[in-house]
């Protein structure tokens, strides 16, 4: 995985699709790229066929300027339970860095449950003083929905509520079918 200068991986975690013997790792290579792995020593498949298998927490240097930065995944190797190789083409994504703290919809400088409540109130048509719409669109899809409120709660529970960035990845880029 190639990340822009000033961006590092601080945490690499498996999602709830993992089994008992699944493991994940990330390693920074000499060329500055990262090697990511999600695997099972006993070849146990991940549960389900949709959704993320790996979540990454990215740290952005506080001096990084606003803008969109490319992220790319190359040399992707996937296998099926029958060890059939699937080699999708490289995947690209965009990291958007902004001065808006994603999820901090009330502008307090912190992401709290009050922000999730403010998003719900906004959806219900209430006029919220100081509401920061750019911070409320947590998933970056251009709309403020209940999914954004849930994402704020997830940020709080996972400890990632300090993010100043949004990553947009093309949908279905790794669909092996």
């Amino acid at each position: 995985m190639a990340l822009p200068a000033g961006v590092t991986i601080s945490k690499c975690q498996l999602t709830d699709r993992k089994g008992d013997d699944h493991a994940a790792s990330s390693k920074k290579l000499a060329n500055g790229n990262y090697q990511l792995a999600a695997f099972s020593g006993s070849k146990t498949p991940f549960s389900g066929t949709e959704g993320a298998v790996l979540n990454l927490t990215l740290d952005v240097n506080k001096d990084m300027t606003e803008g969109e930065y490319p992220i790319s995944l190359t040399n992707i190797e996937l296998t099926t339970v029958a060890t059939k190789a699937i080699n999708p083409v490289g995947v690209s994504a965009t990291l958007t860095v902004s001065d808006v703290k994603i999820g901090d919809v009330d502008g307090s400088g912190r992401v709290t449950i009050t922000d999730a409540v403010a998003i719900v109130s906004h959806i219900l048509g209430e006029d919220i003083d100081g509401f920061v719409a750019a911070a409320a669109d947590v998933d970056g899809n251009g709309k403020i929905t209940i999914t954004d409120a849930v994402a704020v709660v997830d940020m709080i529970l996972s400890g990632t509520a300090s993010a100043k960035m949004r990553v947009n990845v093309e949908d279905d880029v790794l669909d092996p079918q």
Side-chain angles (χ1 to χ4, degrees), residues 7-151:
V7 179
T8 57
I9 296 175
S10 64
K11 193 186 310 184
C12 176
Q13 290 181 301
L14 292 168
T15 65
D16 59 359
R17 291 187 54 203
K18 68 178 171 51
D20 290 337
D21 74 331
H22 285 102
S25 67
S26 67
K27 173 182 169 183
K28 190 166 187 175
L29 304 173
N31 66 2
N33 291 341
Y34 285 85
Q35 180 181 48
L36 306 172
F39 57 92
S40 163
S42 65
K43 300 181 183 176
T44 304
F46 286 94
S47 64
T49 58
E50 294 184 13
V53 180
L54 192 62
N55 285 326
L56 301 174
T57 302
L58 303 177
D59 287 339
V60 176
N61 184 310
K62 66 179 179 164
D63 299 324
M64 197 165 181
T65 58
E66 282 188 68
E68 293 188 351
Y69 298 87
I71 295 175
S72 63
L73 283 79
T74 57
N75 301 327
I76 301 167
E77 295 179 20
L78 304 172
T79 55
T80 65
V81 177
T83 64
K84 176 185 172 195
I86 302 168
N87 296 88
V89 180
V91 176
S92 61
T94 302
L95 170 69
T96 304
V97 177
S98 70
D99 281 339
V100 173
K101 187 174 192 176
I102 304 303
D104 180 21
V105 302
D106 62 6
S108 68
R110 296 180 10 194
V111 179
T112 65
I113 197 66
T114 305
D115 297 302
V117 171
I119 291 172
V120 172
S121 297
H122 173 80
I123 293 167
L124 295 174
E126 295 180 30
D127 187 24
I128 315 288
D129 284 341
F131 187 80
V132 182
D137 182 18
V138 178
D139 62 10
N141 70 356
K143 298 178 259 182
I144 300 171
T145 66
I146 196 65
T147 303
D148 297 305
V150 171

